[in-house]
Every structure is written in structure tokens, then in C-alpha cells.
């Protein structure tokens, strides 16, 4: 039995979608539970040439054996939820996806309050998906919950009960966090952050699992850093340099051009400490070092890449167990066996 949590190590968009796809296909968990803020996330998943962009339902959906749950801490937008169930119809989501009955609902008014706010939308650079206003209504105890919405009746469950029963029965549970450490309301670059903490402890609470039940925390870092929206970014580089290095990026949810920077060892160290990371997944190594594209074999990596990996391990004191060398789940070096 293993209960794992996957977290973003930096400002989101670390390639969590790819890592979740890989780990959920490889390890075959019985439950895949989504934690994190809500539909402000944008996860890209790719498998056998099919590519999907998701905002709310668990990114591990390719695994048809798993039940897909959305924890009580996650904000639900009913339209996004039903659109994604339709979008992924061939993966039978309608028969195996459930939201916790206590999830707060995002309504049109939250979208208007987010997009219409100079503070949130312009100064902070929010995604405009209504998450900040919806979380604030939850704190003010005004938000509606999933159990108040008749259309959702068939899709609601008690997520903590399902997850804890699975753990007690010796089943495997995979908890997907969204966003990233630098966006945490407490530990990130406040006020340029999202509307909630985004570290492993909060993700456990989102799905109702106590800290004593968590076995692994996998922190995902990209080989360089990106950030969308405003706020401090110690290792940022200018657009021209990012272009020369071939690492420009655009957002999945907003289409905004992402700010780009170099890997930040200090951020990685603090992020691993506060998340209690036990493993690191390092993505997009092929974008920094194109020669390693799609390789699955650690020994074929150049000395320069191996050196980069050891520097990260030395700075964080956490082993790099997954190295991603391309967007497809097969483009992965899996070093976990070597830890055993
Ligand atoms: P999260 O927000 O962390 O879930 O990240 P994401 O998966 O949504 O990442 P994002 O939307 O930023 O998309 C990253 C893009 O890079 C997607 O098209 C992924 O398929 C792709 N990707 C992920 N890992 C790798 C990798 O190791 N190499 C390359 N070349 N692309 C990758
Ligand atoms: P909000 O969460 O929409 O309020 O946005 C607040 C800040 O968090 C903005 O800078 C967003 O760009 C950023 N943000 C929120 N979710 C994500 C994510 O999933 N990836 C990257 N940035 C995010
Ligand atoms: Mg993303």
C-alpha cells in the first residue's frame, strides 16, 4: 500500500500533468484524487499521440482502472466539470469521477469578481477563473457546496471516506496537487500568489488524509523555471535569452506568454523542505539539453546532465527519481528501483 502526493516545486507548470500520467499508468493506483485550488490549473497530458489540456478532473484519467476523485478543498466550476466529462468521454469518466459533497462551487459571479478586479486580475495577474473570490466566499461562509447542486447529485461522494477506506484495505492512492510551491498563500511570493496554500500538507487535507498516512511526496521541477502572472522571480531571464535557449512557453489556461528563468537551487531547497519531499521528478531536461530527447536510459545521459542532477540532489538532499526527456509518458527515465 502506498499513498503518494505529487506537488509542483516552483510556480506551477512544472510538467505535473506528464508526471502524473506516467506514474498513474506505471503504478496503477486504485484511486487518483485531485487536490489543489481549482480550475485555475492547466495540466497537459499526452499519451500515445493524444494530447489533452485539463483544468479540473484528475490528470491520471488515462488509467481506466482508477476511481477519479476531487477533494473537498478543490473549487468546482460545474461547467468546467461537465465539459471535461464530455471531452474525455471515451475514457468513461462519467462512471468513475466523483467530487466531494463539500467542495465549494464557483459561480458566474466569482468569475465576474475576479476578472473585474483591478487588484486580482491586473495587479496579481490572476487566471480570471473565479478561484480567489470563491475561496473568499468559503472563508466568509457564504459559498454553496457541491451537495447543494441538484445536477451534481450523481457525481458526489465522501472523498475522505473513500480514500481512507482504500488505504485501510491496502490499496494504492495517488494524490495530485496543482499549482506550485511559489504560489502558496503562506510560503510563496505574497501577495503574488494564489488563494490558498499549495504544499503537500494542504493537499493531504484537501482530500481528507491525515499526515501519518502519507508515504511519498514527489516534488516536480522543470529544468528551468517559468512563471505566469506578476511577482518576484529571482532567476528570470529576458525574452531574447529564453528564445536563444529555445525555452519560451505559453500558458494552457490563459494562453499568456510565460516568464522564463534558470533553475533556482535556493527555491528548490526551500520547496523540498516545506513539502517534505521524498523524491524529485525533473522534467523538460530535453529542452535544455536536446541530445537527450526521448531517452529512457540514465547511463546515456551526458556528464553535464548528470552533474546538474547531482547538484539538485546536493542542494535539496532529496533523490531525483524521475527524469522526463519528452512530453509522452514513454519519454521517462525511472530511477525509483535503484532506491529500493
Ligand atoms: P502542470 O501545470 O505542472 O501540470 O504542468 P503542465 O503539465 O500543465 O505543463 P504545461 O501546461 O506547462 O505544459 C507543459 C508542456 O510540456 C506540455 O505540452 C507537456 O506535454 C510538455 N512536457 C512535459 N514534460 C516534458 C518534457 O520532459 N519534455 C518536453 N519536451 N515537454 C514536456
Ligand atoms: P489565481 O489563482 O487565478 O487567483 O491566480 C493567482 C496567481 O497564481 C497568478 O499569478 C496566476 O498566474 C497563478 N496561478 C494560479 N494557478 C496557476 C497554475 O496552475 N499554474 C501557474 N500559475 C498559476
Ligand atoms: Mg499548468
Amino acid at each position: 500500500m502506498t499513498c503518494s502526493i505529487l506537488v509542483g516545486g516552483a510556480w506551477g507548470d512544472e510538467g505535473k500533468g506528464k508526471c502524473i500520467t506516467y506514474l498513474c499508468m506505471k503504478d496503477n493506483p486504485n484511486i487518483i484524487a485531485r487536490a489543489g485550488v481549482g480550475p485555475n490549473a492547466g495540466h497537459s497530458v499526452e499519451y500515445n499521440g493524444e494530447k489533452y489540456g485539463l483544468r479540473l478532473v484528475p490528470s491520471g484519467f488515462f488509467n481506466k482502472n482508477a476511481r477519479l476523485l476531487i477533494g473537498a478543498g478543490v473549487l468546482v466550476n460545474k461547467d468546467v466539470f461537465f465539459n471535461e466529462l464530455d471531452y474525455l468521454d471515451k475514457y468513461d469518466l462519467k462512471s468513475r469521477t466523483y467530487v466531494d459533497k463539500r467542495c465549494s462551487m464557483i459561480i458566474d459571479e466569482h468569475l465576474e469578481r475576479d476578472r473585474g478586479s483591478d487588484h486580482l486580475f491586473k495587479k496579481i495577474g490572476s487566471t480570471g477563473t473565479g478561484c480567489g473570490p470563491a475561496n473568499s466566499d468559503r472563508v466568509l461562509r457564504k459559498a454553496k457546496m457541491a451537495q447543494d447542486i441538484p445536477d451534481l447529485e450523481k457525481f458526489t461522494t465522501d472523498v475522505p471516506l473513500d480514500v481512507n477506506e482504500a488505504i485501510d484495505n491496502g490499496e494504492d492512492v495517488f494524490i495530485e496537487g496543482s499549482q506550485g510551491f511559489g504560489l502558496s498563500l503562506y510560503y510563496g511570493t505574497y501577495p503574488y500568489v494564489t488563494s490558498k496554500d499549495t504544499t503537500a500538507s494542504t493537499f493531504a487535507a484537501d482530500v481528507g488524509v491525515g499526515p501519518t498516512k502519507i508515504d511519498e511526496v514527489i516534488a516536480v521541477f522543470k529544468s528551468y523555471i517559468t512563471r505566469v502572472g506578476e511577482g518576484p522571480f529571482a532567476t528570470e531571464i529576458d525574452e531574447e535569452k529564453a528564445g536563444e535557449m529555445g525555452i519560451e512557453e505559453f500558458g494552457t489556461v490563459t494562453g499568456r506568454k510565460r516568464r522564463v528563468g534558470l533553475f533556482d537551487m535556493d527555491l528548490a531547497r526551500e520547496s523540498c523542505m516545506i513539502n517534505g519531499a521524498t523524491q524529485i521528478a525533473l522534467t523538460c531536461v530535453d529542452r535544455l539539453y536536446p541530445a537527450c530527447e526521448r531517452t529512457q536510459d540514465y547511463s546515456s545521459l551526458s556528464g553535464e546532465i548528470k552533474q546538474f542532477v547531482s547538484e539538485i540532489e546536493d542542494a535539496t538532499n532529496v533523490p531525483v527519481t524521475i527524469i522526463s526527456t519528452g512530453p509522452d509518458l514513454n519519454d521517462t527515465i525511472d530511477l525509483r528501483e535503484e532506491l529500493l
Side-chain angles (χ1 to χ4, degrees):
M1 173 291 272
T2 308
C3 181
S4 309
I5 303 187
L6 180 137
V7 303
W11 282 287
D13 307 322
E14 299 91 350
K16 291 186 292 292
K18 143 81 195 252
C19 295
I20 295 165
T21 311
Y22 174 79
L23 293 167
C24 289
M25 292 309 279
K26 176 96 186 176
D27 299 350
N28 203 14
N30 305 79
I31 289 184
I32 304 170
R34 167 79 148 78
V37 182
N40 49 351
H43 296 287
S44 316
V45 297
E46 205 167 322
Y47 177 48
N48 282 344
E50 289 180 55
K51 195 170 170 175
Y52 298 95
L54 303 176
R55 292 168 52 189
L56 190 55
V57 303
S59 301
F61 71 88
F62 282 117
N63 184 334
K64 287 191 174 176
N65 304 321
R67 288 186 79 211
L68 305 173
L69 306 180
I70 298 177
V74 180
L75 299 164
V76 172
N77 176 323
K78 195 178 77 174
D79 298 337
V80 174
F81 179 73
F82 285 120
N83 281 341
E84 291 189 353
L85 295 193
D86 284 340
Y87 177 47
L88 301 170
D89 198 32
K90 70 185 229 203
Y91 289 95
D92 299 329
L93 263 68
K94 287 178 187 148
S95 62
R96 62 192 179 103
T97 310
Y98 298 90
V99 305
D100 188 88
K101 59 189 179 183
R102 291 150 290 207
C103 288
S104 294
M105 301 303 298
I106 296 180
I107 55 173
D108 288 347
E109 184 205 317
H110 295 134
L111 299 175
E112 287 154 21
R113 275 161 57 196
D114 194 353
R115 292 174 191 169
S117 159
D118 281 353
H119 177 69
L120 287 178
F121 199 57
K122 296 208 178 115
K123 180 176 172 217
I124 307 296
S126 79
T127 58
T129 51
C131 290
N135 268 335
S136 103
D137 275 359
R138 181 69 180 226
V139 173
L140 295 171
R141 280 140 291 173
K142 293 196 307 199
K144 278 208 161 33
M145 297 197 289
Q147 66 188 15
D148 304 323
I149 311 295
D151 310 5
L152 280 176
E153 199 184 342
K154 253 178 54 195
F155 297 97
T156 50
T157 188
D158 187 326
V159 169
L161 190 64
D162 294 357
V163 169
N164 284 283
E165 274 181 3
I167 293 173
D168 291 345
N169 290 334
E171 298 180 359
D172 290 331
V173 172
F174 188 88
I175 300 169
E176 323 180 350
S178 65
Q179 284 76 43
F181 173 75
L183 293 170
S184 163
L185 183 61
Y186 302 143
Y187 304 111
T189 47
Y190 185 85
Y192 299 98
V193 294
T194 189
S195 50
K196 167 170 137 178
D197 176 45
T198 50
T199 66
S201 308
T202 291
F203 296 148
D206 284 343
V207 301
V209 179
T212 52
K213 303 276 175 73
I214 306 301
D215 302 294
E216 298 287 343
V217 175
I218 304 147
V220 184
F221 292 96
K222 195 152 54 181
S223 302
Y224 48 94
I225 295 194
T226 55
R227 173 160 203 177
V228 271
E230 302 307 315
F233 186 170
T235 59
E236 186 166 11
I237 56 177
D238 60 33
E239 266 184 42
E240 199 185 346
K241 180 148 186 223
E244 277 165 27
M245 293 175 74
I247 53 177
E248 329 72 335
E249 286 196 12
F250 295 89
T252 317
V253 173
T254 55
R256 288 184 289 179
K257 190 160 192 179
R258 293 178 178 159
R259 298 159 65 194
V260 179
L262 304 179
F263 195 89
D264 183 340
M265 293 291 170
D266 295 328
L267 175 71
R269 185 182 299 113
E270 192 185 21
S271 169
C272 284
M273 177 181 79
I274 294 179
N275 277 304
T278 60
Q279 301 181 42
I280 289 174
L282 184 65
T283 66
C284 294
V285 180
D286 56 298
R287 296 203 57 201
L288 270 195
Y289 304 102
C292 74
E293 197 179 343
R294 309 208 60 183
T295 186
Q296 299 171 21
D297 171 25
Y298 180 79
S299 64
S300 72
L301 295 179
S302 67
E304 201 180 1
I305 302 178
K306 288 179 181 161
Q307 175 67 26
F308 179 47
V309 169
S310 347
E311 277 171 33
I312 295 171
E313 292 181 328
D314 290 346
T316 57
N317 212 12
V318 178
V320 174
T321 55
I322 301 283
I323 298 176
S324 173
T325 56
D328 194 87
L329 93 170
N330 294 313
D331 311 332
T332 307
I333 302 172
D334 188 340
L335 300 165
R336 291 178 297 165
E337 294 278 310
E338 291 169 31
L339 268 190
L340 300 175

